[in-house]
Amino acid sequence: MTEVKEHYAAPNLIERIDQALVAAGKSPDSLQLADLTPIDEFHLRGAMATNELIELLDVSQGNRVLDVGSGLGGPARRLAAATGCHVTGVDLSEDFCLAGNELSRRVGLAEQVNLEPGNAMQLELFESSPFDAAWSIHVGMNVEQKDSFYSGIARVLSSGARFLVFDILSAGSDDILFPVPWADEPAHSFLATVDEMSALLKAAGFTIERTVDQSAQCLAFLDELFERMKQEGSPPALGLHVVTGPSFGEAIRTVRRNLVEGLVVPTVIHARKSERSSVR
Ligand SMILES: C[S@@+](CC[C@H](N)C(=O)[O-])C[C@H]1O[C@@H](n2cnc3c(N)ncnc32)[C@H](O)[C@@H]1O
């Protein structure tokens, strides 16, 4: 866990984000949600994917949603703004939670979005009453003990609650190419196959409603991103490199190679906590 925490360490993040915002011609004190999209959606297909997940999650004002591995909180803010729900995010990175809560304050969402630093393997520490829904976006790749991870999530959900996972899964081979944005080396990457994920989620007390392969959409997204960067000649002022450092360029190119070589399968899994789940 320490290695994962170190991998996502981002000292002075809010200062670096502010500098990048100014360089991009934005005012850090009068931000719109959309201004943050290039830096606060830390997953393939960015806000496009989040908007699809918001439709699927189907929550509304008054609902309480858990975002497991919430990062800088882009998906949580977008969900809260679109639906009026309240989102609790949990993330190992204190740097992300600190900067993310400040960004929520600046866009007027501090009352609706709360990012709490902590390990999602110990969710019982965060809430005493059950959540109405949850999602976990690009987090499982860093989780070795997936059985306790998913049963912990099931435990804090109400019966019948929807749970969406958007992760990069393994296509079956143990060897993928590194570095990737979630790990610099194989020792810190834990990809499950779609069959393994289905079995894990079922054992944790979920019913799987649908599994959607997003490879084609993700490849198109990356091709468009690289084409734009080629035309512009340099990385834009605002991008995920501001959050992760300059290594992001190589890591995201390696994700594309893994996709092209058929080694990984970005997948959205629609699950629901089983009505009669035995998980407590
Ligand atoms: C690739 S980022 C995705 C962030 C966010 N879900 C998004 O899509 O913008 C993965 C995040 O998962 C978090 N993470 C990994 N393992 C975790 C754990 N056991 N508990 C809490 N957070 C974890 C990392 O700190 C990191 O912020």
Side-chain angles (χ1 to χ4, degrees):
M1 212 51 70
T2 319
E3 292 88 356
V4 178
K5 212 170 160 174
E6 278 166 12
H7 179 75
Y8 290 105
N12 309 318
L13 184 53
I14 200 73
E15 288 83 358
R16 289 189 282 117
I17 289 174
D18 282 351
Q19 283 167 10
L21 284 166
V22 170
K26 314 274 181 198
S27 164
D29 293 320
S30 58
L31 289 176
Q32 306 296 314
L33 208 55
D35 294 334
L36 299 172
T37 307
I39 50 150
D40 72 358
E41 297 274 352
F42 197 166
H43 53 262
L44 290 173
R45 299 187 62 235
M48 233 178 336
T50 301
N51 288 334
E52 291 168 9
L53 294 172
I54 291 171
E55 289 290 312
L56 293 169
L57 203 62
D58 192 23
V59 292
S60 51
Q61 189 154 15
N63 283 154
R64 294 170 58 257
V65 178
L66 177 65
D67 183 346
V68 187
S70 41
L72 257 180
R77 278 186 290 277
R78 202 146 276 108
L79 173 65
T83 67
C85 75
H86 184 278
V87 188
T88 300
V90 176
D91 199 284
L92 270 183
S93 164
E94 284 163 28
D95 298 330
F96 284 179
C97 293
L98 204 68
N101 283 330
E102 171 60 14
L103 295 174
S104 298
R105 187 189 67 74
R106 293 195 198 165
V107 296
L109 286 168
E111 297 292 307
Q112 268 177 270
V113 179
N114 181 30
L115 308 180
E116 300 193 26
N119 187 347
M121 301 294 281
Q122 292 147 12
L123 287 177
E124 62 282 4
L125 300 179
F126 297 98
E127 285 290 335
S128 51
S129 58
F131 288 94
D132 301 302
W135 67 25
S136 181
I137 308 174
H138 281 36
V139 181
M141 300 97 82
N142 283 123
V143 176
E144 187 173 15
Q145 306 292 331
K146 289 188 176 41
D147 45 359
S148 19
F149 182 73
Y150 293 116
S151 54
I153 296 170
R155 212 171 288 126
V156 297
L157 288 176
S158 57
S159 184
R162 176 153 281 174
F163 175 47
L164 299 174
V165 179
F166 177 27
D167 268 358
I168 298 180
L169 302 186
S170 159
S173 156
D174 279 340
D175 296 320
I176 68 159
L177 306 166
F178 288 89
V180 283
W182 63 92
D184 295 331
E185 47 176 294
H188 305 146
S189 175
F190 308 100
L191 303 196
T193 63
V194 72
D195 289 345
E196 286 164 351
M197 278 295 283
S198 298
L200 280 159
L201 287 166
K202 282 179 195 160
F206 290 102
T207 305
I208 312 283
E209 296 181 332
R210 245 184 116 198
T211 299
V212 183
D213 178 341
Q214 288 240 332
S215 302
Q217 294 92 325
C218 290
L219 194 55
F221 168 82
L222 290 175
D223 284 345
E224 199 191 308
L225 178 78
F226 296 139
E227 184 55 37
R228 215 170 41 237
M229 279 166 63
K230 203 163 93 187
Q231 279 172 14
E232 287 167 9
S234 59
L238 274 178
L240 279 168
H241 58 281
V242 175
V243 179
T244 66
S247 59
F248 186 75
E250 186 190 352
I252 194 69
R253 280 192 168 76
T254 313
V255 171
R256 184 182 181 280
R257 283 176 59 206
N258 279 308
L259 257 173
V260 169
E261 294 189 22
L263 299 170
V264 297
V265 190
T267 303
V268 175
I269 301 176
H270 309 196
R272 225 176 246 288
K273 180 168 170 181
S274 307
E275 298 283 350
R276 284 195 303 273
S277 164
S278 60
V279 178
R280 303 249 183 280

